[in-house]
Amino acid sequence: MRLLPTVLSAVSLLISVTNASLSTEILYWPLESPQPSVLAHVSYDPVSLKSDIVSYQPPKGDQSDRLVRVGLYTSTPTNKKQWVGSLVSLSSLTASEQPTLRLHLGPANEVYTVSLSASSTSTQVSTYNPRIDLISNESGTQPHLNRPVVVGPDGQNPEQPEEKTILQKYWWVLLIITFISMSGGGGGE
């Protein structure tokens, strides 16, 4: 009897944790800078794949040919603070572009990498928020393993049928052309 309330409280805690929104901090890091700066704070729900931008601070700068790194810090078994990200142009984060941040979710619904794409906007807006796309961790097609190998009675691979020649495939076309050419001639007067 004492075990039932403990199990129920554990289940309710698990349900509340799975329904809770997670959040992450996306950083940008100019190549000449010693440390990254905060680009955005994003909260997301991995179950419904909905996200909200809590804050967004685009980088200040007018040098559009500069490169910056966009990413985040993750934790690995060998390194507790490892940078993961991609290299983009600074112009893709400025006000003339509308960036789309793609957050790739791992098996535990944590963000394991960030990628960015930009599309030009027709109107200049001084304050805007980028789009956020959540990409879930879905399995791709799986190979069919452990299938038996089919061999012939002599232990060799079964022979593949010979491929037919063009004449063997399309003999009927020649028959139709011959029929039309022989029946089409009319006598002229």
Side-chain angles (χ1 to χ4, degrees), residues 32-165:
E32 61 276 354
S33 177
Q35 62 184 7
S37 302
V38 175
L39 178 66
H41 289 280
V42 177
S43 67
Y44 62 94
D45 182 14
V47 176
S48 65
L49 295 179
K50 296 199 189 257
S51 62
D52 293 319
I53 297 176
V54 177
S55 68
Y56 179 71
Q57 299 92 21
K60 306 291 189 270
D62 53 353
Q63 298 174 351
S64 62
D65 59 343
R66 287 182 33 204
L67 295 176
V68 295
R69 295 170 275 211
V70 175
L72 56 110
Y73 282 111
T74 61
S75 157
T76 63
T78 58
N79 191 354
K80 295 296 180 197
K81 191 174 181 183
Q82 180 176 349
W83 174 262
V84 178
S86 57
L87 190 65
V88 297
S89 170
L90 180 65
S91 65
S92 62
L93 298 174
T94 60
S96 65
E97 300 286 330
Q98 182 71 31
T100 299
L101 296 169
R102 291 188 190 110
L103 305 179
H104 299 267
L105 302 178
N109 292 328
E110 80 284 356
V111 177
Y112 70 89
T113 190
V114 176
S115 62
L116 179 109
S117 68
S119 60
S120 298
T121 56
S122 58
T123 60
Q124 293 266 348
V125 181
S126 60
T127 60
Y128 69 96
N129 285 332
R131 282 190 38 212
I132 301 290
D133 287 341
L134 290 177
I135 300 172
S136 67
N137 181 26
E138 295 179 359
S139 298
T141 58
Q142 298 296 318
H144 298 286
L145 302 176
N146 295 330
R147 281 190 169 175
V149 177
V150 179
V151 294
D154 58 349
Q156 300 294 325
N157 288 336
E159 291 189 26
Q160 299 293 329
E162 266 187 43
E163 189 167 335
K164 294 181 178 180
T165 64

Side-chain angles (χ1 to χ4, degrees), residues 7-22:
V7 170
L8 289 177
S9 65
V11 168
S12 66
L13 178 65
L14 181 63
I15 290 172
S16 67
V17 167
T18 56
N19 290 336
S21 289
L22 301 172

